[in-house]
Amino acid sequence: MNMPRRRSLTVARSRQRGLSTLLIAILLLAIVTIITIFAARFGIFEQRMSANDYRYKMVFQAGEAGLNQSMEFIRMNTAEMLSTAGTGWLAPGDPRWQPCTSALPAAMELDPCLAEPDEGRREEMYRYVGNAASDEDGILPVAELMPELGDDDDVEEFQAGYTSYATLCRLDISIPTAPRCALNPVSEDTFYVTVVSRGTLPNENAAATIRQSFGTFRTIGSAPDAPLIAAGAVVGLGNAEIVPNPNPNNTNNPLSVWSKAGVDVDDGSGGTGSFASCHLEEWLSTGTPESYTDGVCADCTCSKLEFGYGLISGHKGGSKFEGEDILDVDGHASEATPSLRDSKYFPPDLFQYIFSVPSIDTTEDDEFLASNATAITNCSAASFPSGGLYYYDGAGGDCDLESAGTIDDPVVLVSEAKVVATGKPQFFGIIFVRSPGGAGAELLKLNGGQIYGSVILEGTGKMGGSPSLIYNRAVLQALRNSPNFLRYGPIPGSWSDSLE
């Protein structure tokens, strides 16, 4: 009678255990489902974040590329972007730079002037608006100058691109301790450019805008103050003719020869010689009008002039005169009637005076030449295919000079040997002779020819032959603004970006 009851209890307990197992299984399945859903949602979120980060990196890199390529474009067009003549970017007829105070062109998508937070400074800046003839709409024409991708290089998705805009601040440094932006500065060759580059992804809601300002510095410092500068005494000028700087440092006093010691207007050998210096206008007046342009004249001379009538210094017949254009300490005896001027402010380091790099008790000058100059083995015309900085170490003997440079593309030659010329070269730029060569040694001897710019002699000055040294402002200005001598550097703290 007890057996059936025990079997019934056993079956009931078995059914309870089965139900508990089912409930536990359902609970575990629910937990796993929740975990799976959470993991899936988290994975999708991570994927979206990763995709957004990927898009941001692409547009950021596109913006960076636009920034770098735009600065290279501006560097290569520096001369044009500051020019007010012809097709220059500041030419009155169709300027590519227009003041930020002017109305924003309707075609421009982004106003780069707004990247300048200082409203007062912004009012004295320019924005690049492009050329009306080419309808550039204010976008720097950089992307179109880049080589196009071929079919094999195309990326099927996410082809990032960029557009770049720019502003210009022309610095007025009349007060060196307080430079400021100015629409019409006193000095026109110092400036900084701000580039605003916007990277985008077509058909994607992603964009990055990057801004950075770049200032300029030059491998050539300020223009030389005289057509002939010598660290030692100038013991002979031979038959040289010199056209002075008419207004060095706004002194309204002409300067032909600047020496740390004395200047002898004789030829240095007891002979008569025929050195002469005269103003540019009088020098040009002696030539035929068709023979000169932009201060360059093949047949002009000072020798046709008289003292008091165009001739400033030199010897004419038996008369010798050391005029106001000779700046020295008169430490060298001269038979000429002197007009004393004090050269106590002569630069102690001529290399630093020209290149802003010290050369005394340092190797910085050699490092500068190694990094920036093109080494040449001789001074033939083939050695100067274009403007720029060239260095002759003197290993091949004298530097036998031939014609080099132009008004718009001048040359700077640094020579460790005496510079000579058997022909009649025309040289546009600066000749810097480093070798002292011993007391009284000739550092320059041209049997004719013309040098438009300046000659710098680190040692004793002694010239022979009949060179003409003409201080030409156009040459020296082109030299300072030439891309060959111009470097751009980022202004600290000017970089910023934003993600859209």
Side-chain angles (χ1 to χ4, degrees), residues 281-293:
E281 292 78 8
E282 283 76 11
W283 182 73
L284 291 173
S285 69
T286 63
T288 53
E290 62 272 13
S291 69
Y292 62 82
T293 179

Side-chain angles (χ1 to χ4, degrees), residues 431-452:
I431 295 177
F432 192 103
V433 187
R434 301 199 69 191
S435 174
E442 255 181 0
L443 297 183
L444 182 72
K445 184 174 183 179
L446 279 66
N447 293 326
Q450 299 172 317
I451 298 173
Y452 292 91

